Amino acid sequence: MTNSVAARGSLIDIPDEPDWARMRSETGARLRSAMSEQGVDALILLMNGYVGYATGASWPLLDAGLSHVERPVAVVLADDEHPHLFMPFRSGASVESPVPDDHLHGPAYLEFDHGVEHFARELAGLIPPGAKVAVDELTGAMRRAAPKLFPAGPPTDAALVLGAAQLVKTRDEISCLRQACRITEHAIVDVQKSLVPGVRQIDLSATLVRRAFELGATTNMLEAIWQVMPSSREAGVWTTHGDLALPLLPTDRELATGDVLWTDISINYGTYCSDFGRTWVVGEQPTPKQQDQFRQWRAILDAVLAVTKAGVTSGDLARAAIAANGGRKPWLPHFYLGHGIGTYPAEAPMIGTDLGEEFDDNFVFPPGMVLVLEPVVWEDGTGGYRSEEIIVITEDGFAPITNYPYTPYGD
């Protein structure tokens, strides 16, 4: 059995449990600093991950049909250490660090004209005239009422502020990320034990979700992927880019002996995500060719990790991966070699996208950034190999968060 990656460089101190109050204080300071740098006076946030980052509100998506109609909304002011939170009255919702009573408001129904009119009146009492406002999402009703909501002029993009604030993680954020990964990996043990011919993809999902919530998960961030990979591109799902399709959602398909599965899992702990990926074979050991693919994947990963530390660029990692793969990009054309992670399973940076080599070369890694690496090795005639590793960037190397074996592959 081959273990996950080992740390390189200085060790980092990650608390076993996050200090919620300290985390909210530190992330709040980072957010207000990013607002100052962007010249933004107020943020209006609707997206769950951004609201969670700004307020600590945990919002289990118990009913997907209501995930937009009834959702928390945050208003962050540059000169106020406490965010304002508009919170629906739904079971399962929580806030890690209490919001002061005068900052906690009733629900904002921003899909509806009357809800936006009420919200505009609330904003008028919070945001001073002439303030520069940034928003992450606009509903149709918000667009129709833009002059009332934004009397000082059109809002800017809040993603620019949040992206800058979220890039470097605090020690408590890293603790949350590690805990999310631990929950996922412990749940995956039960899933992998149930991986036998005849089991359905949705059965694997049921096992995962049940165990993850028993272990303390707060949200299932995405529909779990247990994708059976085709033996050739021609046998796979047709795509506009002519390459492999990933991800495909699970069905009630019964898995067969020899099926090669690419997994992709994300759950949420305290508003922070895991991201788990491994390749499994159903009911038998990998063939020698498949073992070779795993070794090639590991060689690519090791080459990338060898250059990974603060001060390098996304381009440095991409070139190391390409060189280790004989001059070919070892990732899917519609995805990336790696990406950040935090309150969303995939955050900035995205390494190796169609933004181009110049963009990658200008993205310098700071210490404290958390990165998911997911190279892919593919060759017609096999199911290929893909796994994911999560690391924290340090001054002189990296520290791993992932700790799950590559069974049934290995040396």
Side-chain angles (χ1 to χ4, degrees), residues 312-367:
V312 303
T313 69
S314 295
D316 293 327
L317 270 63
R319 282 185 289 274
I322 292 169
N325 197 45
R328 302 180 308 278
K329 289 182 179 180
W331 62 88
L332 299 177
H334 59 294
F335 269 95
Y336 21 66
L337 172 65
H339 59 82
I341 187 172
T343 58
Y344 285 102
E347 296 181 353
M350 274 68 170
I351 303 172
T353 69
D354 56 6
L355 290 173
E357 188 173 346
E358 181 180 359
F359 177 85
D360 283 349
D361 283 338
N362 286 324
F363 197 105
V364 180
F365 292 174

Side-chain angles (χ1 to χ4, degrees), residues 18-35:
D19 182 322
W20 300 111
R22 179 176 63 193
M23 184 171 75
R24 291 273 68 85
S25 175
E26 293 178 353
T27 56
R30 288 192 58 82
L31 187 54
R32 292 191 300 276
S33 175
M35 292 172 68

